[in-house]
């Protein structure tokens, strides 16, 4: 059935997911999160799709989890909802996910952005964890991912105060890969996605897995994992094609096998 809170479309090898609840700044309710995951999994299973792009419709990427939905909850209810199982499924998506953020990416939406493999932002982007101002804290990986990415010092400051991280600061701290003028963000992201889609998909897949592994493994464990993936690529046709093309001084024609 058609999703209610997101819009999806494909353009050749790129699958687009747009958060589509602009009247409340794309506040993420639980149904929307489930829809995002279902469509990502569908793109992941679809052989023609190589790259997934996630963005928001309207004024911003998203202003966080839906506060109306949480306001009256108690902790037992929160526990029994077990809502983060949907978020956990995100880490099983094998294809690269590019986030494109304009305007706000706050709270749960910042967490969603931090789950992307690459993040592009418009010059008006503002990231932040305002949870503290609501008497709560991040629950979908915010304290963990931001700390790993930017370090303890800034993570504490940002999380204690809810202070917004402006686009340039986000880029300087490595939260964002690249900034674009607001009008150019989607076009540039799409262009990048199409370029990435031309890369040998198995290489991209194992690189993604290895980098994500490196984020939370020891150097030793990360290296073991990398080495297995490195070896594994030598049974792909694309490795043979890539290396033959190099030796024959021609462009490689990758098949994803
Ligand atoms: C529900 C929201 C919302 C949210 C905005 N809206 N954010 N509704 N949940 N997170 C609604 C507003 O109520 C309003 O509805 C409409 O969207 C437009 O928002 P305004 O506030 O009028 O816009 P503006 O004055 O421009 O202010 C923008 C804003 C502000 C600064 C982003 O909306 C804001 O502070 N939003 C909440 C941000 C936040 O605290 N996020 C963290 C949520 S907790 P009406 O009906 O009045 O027009 C969280 C926990 C994650 O994310 C846990 C893991 C999943």
């Amino acid at each position: 059935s058609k999703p209610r809170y997101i819009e999806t479309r494909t353009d050749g090898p790129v699958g687009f997911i747009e958060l589509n609840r602009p009247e409340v700044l794309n506040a993420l309710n639980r149904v929307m999160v489930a829809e995002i995951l279902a469509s990502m999994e569908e793109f992941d299973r679809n052989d023609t799709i190589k790259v997934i792009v996630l963005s928001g419709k309207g004024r911003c990427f998203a202003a966080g989890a839906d506060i109306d939905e949480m306001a009256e909850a108690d902790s037992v209810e929160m526990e029994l909802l077990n809502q983060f199982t949907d978020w956990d499924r995100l880490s099983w998506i094998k294809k690269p996910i590019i986030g494109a953020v304009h305007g706000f990416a706050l709270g749960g939406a910042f967490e969603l952005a931090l789950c992307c493999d690459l993040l592009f932002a418009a010059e008006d982007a503002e990231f932040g964890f305002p949870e503290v101002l609501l008497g709560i804290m991040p629950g979908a990986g915010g304290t963990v991912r931001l700390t790993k990415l930017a370090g303890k010092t800034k993570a504490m400051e940002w999380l204690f105060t809810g202070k917004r991280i402006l686009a340039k600061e986000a880029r300087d701290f490595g939260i964002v890969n690249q900034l674009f003028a607001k009008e150019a963000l989607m076009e540039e992201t799409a262009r990048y996605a199409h370029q990435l889609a031309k890369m040998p998909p198995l290489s991209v897949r194992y690189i993604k897995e290895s980098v994500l592994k490196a984020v939370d493994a020891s150097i030793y464990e990360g290296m073991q994992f990398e080495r297995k993936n490195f070896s594994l690529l030598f049974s792909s046709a694309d490795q043979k094609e890539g290396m033959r093309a190099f030796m024959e001084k021609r462009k490689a024609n990758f098949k994803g096998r």
Side-chain angles (χ1 to χ4, degrees):
S1 64
K2 206 170 164 305
R4 196 166 153 206
Y5 298 114
I6 61 168
E7 238 176 61
T8 65
R9 68 191 169 84
T10 62
D11 178 16
V14 183
F16 292 86
I17 301 173
E18 276 186 313
L19 312 180
N20 185 24
R21 229 193 145 196
E23 66 285 1
V24 285
L25 307 184
N26 296 328
L28 306 154
N29 58 24
R30 290 185 281 268
V31 173
M32 192 201 280
V33 174
E35 289 177 352
I36 294 167
L37 263 299
S39 58
M40 283 203 184
E41 285 166 350
E42 204 176 306
F43 285 148
D44 219 25
R45 280 191 300 267
N46 179 343
D47 251 6
T48 66
I49 299 296
K50 308 296 181 207
V51 178
I52 300 167
V53 171
L54 179 66
S55 64
K57 258 194 193 309
R59 266 170 64 194
C60 63
F61 181 71
D66 187 338
I67 297 171
D68 295 354
E69 196 180 54
M70 291 183 288
E72 301 305 324
D74 64 41
S75 45
V76 173
E77 196 181 322
M78 272 298 175
E79 175 63 28
L80 296 179
L81 266 172
N82 204 16
Q83 63 181 318
F84 297 114
T85 52
D86 279 332
W87 290 79
D88 293 340
R89 281 155 60 204
L90 246 175
S91 58
W92 294 103
I93 302 296
K94 302 288 189 179
K95 291 172 186 167
I97 304 167
I98 306 179
V101 169
H102 73 290
F104 300 113
L106 303 178
F110 189 12
E111 290 173 307
L112 191 57
L114 289 173
C115 291
C116 294
D117 301 308
L118 292 166
L119 202 54
F120 296 144
E123 275 151 4
D124 74 339
E126 295 188 26
F127 300 86
F129 283 122
E131 279 89 337
V132 67
L133 304 169
L134 299 168
I136 60 165
M137 60 178 284
T143 64
V144 183
R145 288 210 168 83
L146 188 62
T147 304
K148 295 249 180 188
L149 201 56
K152 174 197 156 187
T153 308
K154 292 307 283 187
M156 286 289 188
E157 182 185 320
W158 288 324
L159 286 154
F160 279 164
T161 59
K163 197 176 94 188
R164 302 218 189 109
I165 308 164
L166 302 184
K168 286 197 172 68
E169 202 179 8
R171 183 199 50 204
D172 294 345
F173 274 97
I175 293 167
V176 158
N177 288 85
Q178 218 178 313
L179 299 184
F180 295 106
K182 194 177 168 186
E183 316 75 56
L185 175 67
M186 284 319 293
E187 196 187 319
E188 293 293 339
T189 304
R191 190 202 312 277
Y192 191 102
H194 281 276
Q195 283 306 115
L196 180 52
K198 290 185 186 137
M199 295 294 166
L202 285 172
S203 292
V204 171
R205 183 184 179 101
Y206 290 155
I207 289 167
K208 169 169 172 162
E209 276 190 14
S210 300
V211 172
L212 291 180
K213 181 76 169 182
V215 171
D216 70 12
S218 67
I219 288 187
Y220 175 79
E221 205 188 326
M223 303 277 263
Q224 296 304 312
F225 190 78
E226 179 190 71
R227 217 158 282 174
K228 298 283 181 203
N229 285 336
F230 174 78
S231 298
L232 213 45
L233 285 172
F234 283 78
S235 33
S236 71
D238 281 353
Q239 174 268 327
K240 298 290 175 298
E241 166 63 11
M243 293 195 174
R244 264 176 214 145
F246 174 82
M247 292 187 293
E248 292 164 9
K249 301 191 189 304
R250 59 170 176 86
K251 207 169 164 291
N253 177 20
F254 294 118
K255 297 262 198 288
R257 297 275 153 180

